[in-house]
Amino acid sequence: MKNSEEFRFKIVVIGDGAVGKTSLIKKFTKGTFETDYVKTIGAQFSKYNKEINGDMIRLMFWDIAGQEDFNFLHHLFYKETKAVIIVYSLEENDLGKNSFTHIENWYNQLNKYCSGIPVLLFANKVDLVSKNEINKAKIQNIVKKYNFFEYFTTSAKTGEGVIEAFNVIIEKLYFKYKQLSTNG
Ligand code: G3D
Ligand code: MG
């Protein structure tokens, strides 16, 4: 008989304020946030369980609550995280521009605390731009520059791309750690 295993993955979601981090997590987990950490480390998290091949995956998505600049540094926020999602907004305004420019800052910060783990880029609010206005080359360049695992265009409003994007990282982690546990 096949034994069921349990995996616990912490995934942190970072990026400028108002790009949609909290909305994306809510859309995916459909759950509520646990906010005990907001006062101490400025973060909140939401839990989500998922079964793959009979194994139980227990996920914790951590999100910055307020104080969203890349000087927000707390090792507890990044501690033992297995993957990172950087979110920016595709909006054609200052938020869109700045949140893209700041990807570099967010990347440099996370690299200090947790290097060598998969980093994904979510270009959010895709519902606010028309498809042919998206500069894919610009996104692909930054993905290549920082060796991001993958990028997705998402909308926390319509749900476009959201479940697919989160599932890609969850499956990536599952198969990585499943293999490690199988190989002893
Ligand atoms: P944050 O957690 O990164 O700070 P939030 O961002 O999730 O709080 O979202 C900030 C605002 O952007 C919210 O609007 C939210 O509804 C909106 N938003 C988030 N994702 C999307 C998206 O994909 N498309 C659109 N059109 N809006 C989005 P309010 O008005 O509630 O402040
Ligand atoms: Mg938020």
Side-chain angles (χ1 to χ4, degrees):
M1 205 182 83
K2 195 176 137 199
N3 285 328
S4 172
E5 281 188 272
E6 190 175 286
F7 296 87
R8 285 168 193 274
F9 300 139
K10 172 181 171 181
I11 298 173
V12 303
V13 182
I14 57 178
D16 283 10
V19 295
K21 300 179 297 297
T22 302
S23 305
L24 285 163
I25 296 172
K26 268 194 189 147
K27 190 83 189 171
F28 183 72
T29 66
K30 297 187 179 74
T32 51
F33 279 93
E34 307 205 9
T35 53
D36 298 356
Y37 293 86
V38 172
K39 273 200 199 119
T40 37
I41 67 168
Q44 57 187 358
F45 65 87
S46 190
K47 292 178 181 174
Y48 184 78
N49 294 341
K50 183 184 164 80
E51 220 184 281
I52 304 178
N53 298 341
D55 291 326
M56 181 57 86
I57 326 290
R58 297 189 188 280
L59 296 145
M60 260 217 250
F61 293 97
W62 285 70
D63 171 19
I64 308 161
Q67 228 192 310
E68 281 143 313
D69 64 67
F70 31 80
N71 293 318
F72 164 86
L73 294 176
H74 206 297
H75 72 282
L76 288 175
F77 179 71
Y78 289 105
K79 194 180 171 199
E80 287 176 7
T81 189
K82 297 288 189 286
V84 178
I85 296 168
I86 302 179
V87 185
Y88 79 98
S89 173
L90 286 166
E91 281 167 285
E92 283 158 359
N93 55 21
D94 283 349
L95 175 66
K97 254 181 261 158
N98 294 334
S99 65
F100 184 83
T101 308
H102 292 156
I103 292 170
E104 178 176 8
N105 306 72
W106 287 109
Y107 175 77
N108 289 337
Q109 187 203 94
L110 78 89
N111 222 11
K112 279 185 208 150
Y113 292 93
C114 47
S115 56
I117 59 171
V119 180
L120 283 85
L121 183 66
F122 286 12
N124 192 40
K125 306 200 188 183
V126 68
D127 60 287
L128 295 180
V129 289
S130 55
K131 287 275 181 299
N132 53 21
E133 280 168 21
I134 298 170
N135 188 342
K136 280 197 182 151
K138 183 174 124 178
I139 307 176
Q140 282 157 354
N141 280 340
I142 199 157
V143 165
K144 208 169 150 192
K145 182 173 177 188
Y146 296 111
N147 197 21
F148 293 148
F149 176 62
E150 202 153 340
Y151 85 86
F152 294 91
T153 52
T154 58
S155 169
K157 187 174 178 183
T158 67
E160 183 181 340
V162 176
I163 292 177
E164 182 200 349
F166 277 103
N167 278 336
V168 164
I169 187 60
I170 294 164
E171 280 168 23
K172 157 100 179 153
L173 291 175
Y174 170 69
F175 288 111
K176 175 179 168 183
Y177 287 94
K178 179 73 180 174
Q179 199 180 17
L180 287 174
S181 85
T182 307
N183 295 342

